Amino acid sequence: MALFSVFQTTFLLALLSLRTYQSEVLSEPLPWAPESLKVFINSTHQCLHLQWSVHNLAHHQELKMVFQIEISRIKTSNVIWVENYSTTVKWNQVLHWSWESKLPLECAKHFIRMRSAEDDAKTPEQSFWSNWSSWEEVDVQNSLGHDPLFVFPKDKLVEEGSNVTICYVSRSPQSNISCYLEGVQMQGEQLEPNVTVFNLNHVAFIRETGTNIYCKGDQGDSIKGIVLFVSKVLEEPKEFSCETQDLTTLNCTWDPGSDTGLLKQLSQSYTLFESFSGKKTLCKHKSWCSWEVAPESQEMYNFTLTAENYLRKRSVHLLFNLTHRVHPMAPFSVLFTDVSTTNATMTWKVHSTGNYYTLLCQVKLYGEGEVTQHNVSVEVDGEQLFSGLEPDTEYRAQVRCANANHFWKWSEWTHQNFTTAEAAPSEAPDVWRNVKSVQGHSVVTLFWKPLSKLQANGKILFYNIVIENLDRSSSSKFLSIPAPANGTELNLDQCSYQIHVTAHNSVGTSPASVIIVSGDPGNKEVEEERVKGTEDGFSLSWKPQPGNVTGYIVEWCDRPRGPLCDLQWKSVGPTTTSTVVSSDAFRPGVQYNFRIYGISTERVPYLLEKKTGYSQELAPSDNPQVVMSNLTSRSFTLSWKDYSIESQPSFIQGYHVYLKSKAGQCHSGSEKAVLSDDAVCCKYKIDNPKQKTFVVENLQPESFYEFLVTPYSSVGEGPHGAFTKVTTPDEYSPILIRVILPMVFCILLIMIICYLKSQWMKEKCYPDIPDPYKSSVLSLIKSKENPRLTIMNIKDCVPDSIEVLNKQEGTRKSLTETESSKPTYLYLLPTEESYSGPGPCICFENFTYNQAASDSASCGHVPVAPKAPPSQLALLTSPENLLKALEENYMNSLGEIPAGETSLNYVSQLASAMTGDKFSLPTNPPEPALCSEYKMQMAIPLGLASPPSSGSSSLSSFTLLDEGEHYH
């Protein structure tokens, strides 16, 4: 036990002595410490380049060393980077090392130092380090200048998705600076009082010209900005491949992927390197490159394609045998020889690819919807025979070739077209007719369908039509119709005819199509049946005929509502009794009519059945125009006779009559219905589509109703448009109308008659009062002294009679006071010895001028004595003397008559039938005419009652009538 304690103590002392020795060794500096450390700044790439050397190395001595480098930021204690750099050091060698800073160097101070050690794996690392070199300070801010604001880094290039650090340096720490990325403000972190940094993570590509970043102060006095170039990530080339067409040049292609989006001078480049030959070429294009094949017939190639841009590199490799990558060029000189109606020979040439190379060529022929393929082995020229072709048909042939020994790729196609020769038409035209009887003869419209391309075997030039009269075999007619006509019209009599139609091209004639037009069609009346169409068309069937038939014809119109029928037909065999008729012209909601004909053995068509239907029925599109009549207090009648059910988009099955009322009660024969607007009404149903009248009954007098008539079919009813309003009258209105209307008519008739005869009634009932100032006698006065005379004087007219009115008052007496006090009439009567008979009408008294005189007497006929003395005519022979006497008596009487006692009485004078001068009387005056018109008018004062006393007047006699003798 004591021995063990001594041994333990000895071991511990030995270990302590060894550690003391090592500490003394380590305390001595390493003789190969780094010296002459220099730091260079690259602001463009934000890099620090270090340069130093190691002294005390022997000449030609090489020593493997490791250098530990520390980098601090802002202050030496803030170490941000430590890295060990190993290299082999030679005598008098200058060493270099670079470091790229994530933070722009202008944003903060940096300090760098290093130490070295011998790179020996046998000795622990920590035992070889030399002393640290002194700190080297890097302060780029001192060289920035005196601008108030700076933003870094400038024009930095990064890849999309990278992290970038931005900073600004302000000369005024108190300024409030804001920074923006594409207009969006960024949030930063203050690094120093005048420095703020912004960390941008996963930056995105925006545009080729870069991303804009700028900073500005709160006063807006300084704005600084930078452009950050963001590149898309460089992709590895895809589908890298190389091939040759002539064994002299290799064409290498690849897919570059998406472009990096940089400017042209910063975009990626591609380099092609071949390892066996050691050659390298810079490709001028981004997706392909050419390589000259070595003249020493090198067969194996190992290519490396490198894509490189400013930020990274990408490489792909390809190893191949040249003879296995032959891609032949397209054949050329394709020709066709010996082309006939059904055969043709095709020849072509290929490009040479060296000796002992055989090509496999593939030939394809495209015809009328058919493709045939042939494979041919070719060394120099190729040839292929085509047979079984169609006449007058255009074909397209194409050929391509590939390496027959080591297939790599087909060459490009070489195309060429050719057309076979024409042949005579192989089929007869499909012919049909439409017969109409017009005034004792038949109008036959002949139709034929154009032959298909396969049937025509060439271009159809014309159609020949031969018309043979079967009743008179010697009679025939020939017509030639130029193509592309597909029909003609024939005027035939009532005989039977056989018509032959043939089609002709430049080579020959088609078989004839024969149809018979009978003089007696014998078409019986056939009941029309309804059919229902589908998306595939109309499925039609008919009963088989007991007799012999050669076939059936189904006829219809593609446009039944258009101006032209566009007649169509379909021929089927004699054993077929059903078919499906389809056409691209069929439209929903259009009614189509089909007629089925049988063709007898004599080629005479006869009608079998009629069918009608819609490809798709639609709801009625419009409602009938309804006329209301027979309106009573209890009912009214609706009619729509002009409504056509044939023009509707479906089969009309009947009508619905909707009736609205305030009461909302529905009587028998109707049912309640709720419309789309939730209105409740009564609905009457008419099941017969031909019934176009309806009587609405059981109504209430003086009630308001609304009605609507709409058709219905299997797919729905017509639109629910506006209702028509009607109000029923009361029960007594018709009676009143029968009484009032005739009365109103009579009153209106009387008013119209009175209006039309108003002038006549006015003249009869209340004639106009004549105006003396407008008397026609004024026009007879020819006064030279006063041409403007408008008032008559007594001397201006020749009176026929004089009326003297005496009004006596008090003691005043006139010459006639012994006579009656009533008005006295003075008449100057023409007398003639041989005259006898009733007295003439001398005057007409108008009592409007003298109301006093109206009570005294009336004007009448004056009895005249059968014999009158000639002296009575003295007045008529000397009217001037009479006028003078009257004027004198009139003037004298004015002095005797008091004012207010004189009145005028209007006397109308008869127009005589005398001729000549109106101021002279004929010796034999005619008889006075009846009182029928006025001639002159005059006014005589009432005071003129007696004839003059002197004999100055030539008046020989006058007559004073008694009171009862009021005859004028």
Side-chain angles (χ1 to χ4, degrees), residues 478-497:
F478 175 81
L479 295 176
S480 182
I481 307 298
N486 59 354
T488 186
E489 188 174 281
L490 307 175
N491 291 319
L492 306 177
D493 54 22
Q494 297 299 326
C495 298
S496 297
Y497 288 87

Side-chain angles (χ1 to χ4, degrees), residues 909-928:
Q909 302 177 18
L910 177 68
S912 66
M914 295 182 297
T915 60
D917 190 358
K918 59 174 154 285
F919 295 106
S920 64
L921 295 174
T923 57
N924 297 320
E927 292 182 21

Side-chain angles (χ1 to χ4, degrees), residues 454-633:
L454 294 177
Q455 295 171 345
N457 293 334
K459 182 180 180 181
I460 299 300
L461 303 177
F462 57 90
Y463 297 89
N464 283 343
I465 302 173
V466 178
I467 307 168
E468 297 180 4
N469 192 323
L470 299 180
D471 298 335
R472 297 188 297 272
S473 59
S474 61
S475 176
S476 63
K477 185 178 180 181
F478 175 81
L479 295 176
S480 182
I481 307 298
N486 59 354
T488 186
E489 188 174 281
L490 307 175
N491 291 319
L492 306 177
D493 54 22
Q494 297 299 326
C495 298
S496 297
Y497 288 87
Q498 180 175 273
I499 302 174
H500 300 257
V501 180
T502 55
H504 296 253
N505 62 11
S506 61
V507 177
T509 304
S510 72
S513 180
V514 181
I515 191 170
I516 303 297
V517 177
S518 177
D520 182 15
N523 289 335
K524 59 182 179 180
E525 291 297 328
V526 178
E527 184 178 355
E528 191 175 64
E529 299 179 6
R530 290 182 178 181
V531 293
K532 187 175 182 180
T534 62
E535 294 180 356
D536 299 328
F538 291 89
S539 179
L540 306 178
S541 62
W542 55 91
K543 297 179 181 179
Q545 297 304 299
N548 294 326
V549 293
T550 60
Y552 299 94
I553 298 291
V554 180
E555 174 190 278
W556 74 94
C557 288
D558 264 354
R559 293 190 297 272
R561 296 183 183 177
L564 299 177
C565 172
D566 192 13
L567 183 68
Q568 301 293 324
W569 69 94
K570 183 178 182 180
S571 303
V572 296
T575 60
T576 303
T577 58
S578 64
T579 186
V580 176
V581 177
S582 59
S583 174
D584 293 336
F586 287 161
R587 296 291 180 268
V590 179
Q591 185 176 358
Y592 295 94
N593 300 315
F594 301 91
R595 288 176 172 83
I596 302 172
Y597 294 85
I599 308 299
S600 67
T601 54
E602 293 82 11
R603 300 178 183 271
V604 177
Y606 56 93
L607 182 62
L608 294 179
E609 297 183 13
K610 292 182 180 179
K611 299 181 184 294
T612 182
Y614 296 85
S615 61
Q616 180 184 350
E617 288 191 81
L618 303 177
S621 57
D622 56 350
N623 295 329
Q625 298 293 328
V626 181
V627 177
M628 184 189 67
S629 60
N630 301 331
L631 176 62
T632 67
S633 60

Side-chain angles (χ1 to χ4, degrees), residues 831-833 867-877 956-957:
T831 60
E832 188 173 1
E833 187 174 354
K867 299 288 184 173
S871 60
Q872 290 180 354
L873 300 174
L875 178 61
L876 300 177
T877 57
S956 59
S957 65

Side-chain angles (χ1 to χ4, degrees), residues 152-437:
F152 299 103
K154 295 184 180 296
D155 302 330
K156 185 175 182 62
L157 177 63
V158 296
E159 273 189 341
E160 186 177 23
S162 302
N163 299 329
V164 182
T165 302
I166 309 296
C167 77
Y168 73 81
V169 178
S170 174
R171 296 300 188 185
S172 301
Q174 293 80 16
S175 300
N176 187 10
I177 307 297
S178 299
C179 294
Y180 301 86
L181 171 65
E182 291 291 330
V184 179
Q185 186 173 0
M186 299 183 296
Q187 299 299 326
E189 178 184 357
Q190 189 173 14
L191 188 63
E192 290 186 277
N194 63 332
V195 178
T196 301
V197 297
F198 304 90
N199 295 315
L200 306 180
N201 298 324
H202 307 291
V203 293
F205 171 82
I206 297 179
R207 65 180 72 88
E208 291 185 1
T209 55
T211 302
N212 298 321
I213 300 173
Y214 65 93
C215 299
K216 64 178 181 179
D218 54 355
Q219 302 298 327
D221 53 349
S222 61
I223 298 178
K224 291 292 182 177
I226 60 173
V227 177
L228 179 65
F229 293 96
V230 181
S231 167
K232 292 184 179 179
V233 178
L234 180 64
E235 296 182 14
E236 182 179 278
K238 304 178 184 65
E239 301 178 4
F240 179 41
S241 175
C242 296
E243 62 187 20
T244 180
Q245 289 185 318
D246 53 7
L247 297 179
T248 59
T249 303
L250 276 170
N251 296 316
C252 297
T253 59
W254 61 89
D255 179 12
S258 60
D259 190 54
T260 56
L262 297 174
L263 298 176
K264 185 175 180 180
Q265 61 271 19
L266 300 177
S267 183
Q268 65 266 32
S269 62
Y270 293 89
T271 303
L272 195 60
F273 173 73
E274 204 283 308
S275 61
F276 293 135
S277 63
K279 294 181 180 179
K280 184 178 182 180
T281 182
L282 179 63
C283 299
K284 298 180 180 179
H285 306 278
K286 289 186 177 182
S287 60
W288 64 274
C289 194
S290 296
W291 184 274
E292 295 296 330
V293 175
E296 57 273 10
S297 299
Q298 176 185 347
E299 291 188 0
M300 297 302 298
Y301 288 84
N302 185 14
F303 283 106
T304 299
L305 177 65
T306 302
E308 181 180 4
N309 66 3
Y310 184 82
L311 300 173
R312 68 172 65 224
K313 293 181 180 181
R314 299 278 185 153
S315 299
V316 291
H317 305 277
L318 180 63
L319 175 66
F320 62 90
N321 189 315
L322 180 64
T323 59
H324 297 176
R325 295 295 182 104
V326 178
H327 183 193
M329 288 185 285
F332 63 99
S333 297
V334 178
L335 301 174
F336 294 93
T337 58
D338 302 330
V339 179
S340 64
T341 57
T342 57
N343 298 323
T345 300
M346 174 182 176
T347 61
W348 66 93
K349 296 181 180 297
V350 294
H351 296 273
S352 176
T353 55
N355 298 330
Y356 310 110
Y357 275 92
T358 302
L359 297 180
L360 175 65
C361 294
Q362 187 180 78
V363 181
K364 284 187 177 182
L365 182 66
Y366 295 87
E368 295 291 337
E370 297 181 357
V371 180
T372 58
Q373 180 175 316
H374 307 274
N375 293 328
V376 182
S377 294
V378 176
E379 292 184 359
V380 179
D381 297 332
E383 181 178 322
Q384 177 63 39
L385 174 64
F386 301 115
S387 60
L389 306 180
E390 296 293 339
D392 189 45
T393 302
E394 184 178 8
Y395 291 90
R396 180 188 181 191
Q398 60 185 21
V399 58
R400 63 180 180 178
C401 300
N403 189 345
N405 299 323
H406 303 282
F407 180 83
W408 168 243
K409 285 183 180 180
W410 288 108
S411 68
E412 299 297 327
W413 287 104
T414 299
H415 307 271
Q416 190 67 37
N417 294 353
F418 71 97
T419 303
T420 54
E422 290 188 2
S426 60
E427 297 288 340
D430 188 0
V431 179
W432 186 235
R433 91 292 177 271
N434 184 22
V435 182
K436 294 182 180 178
S437 296

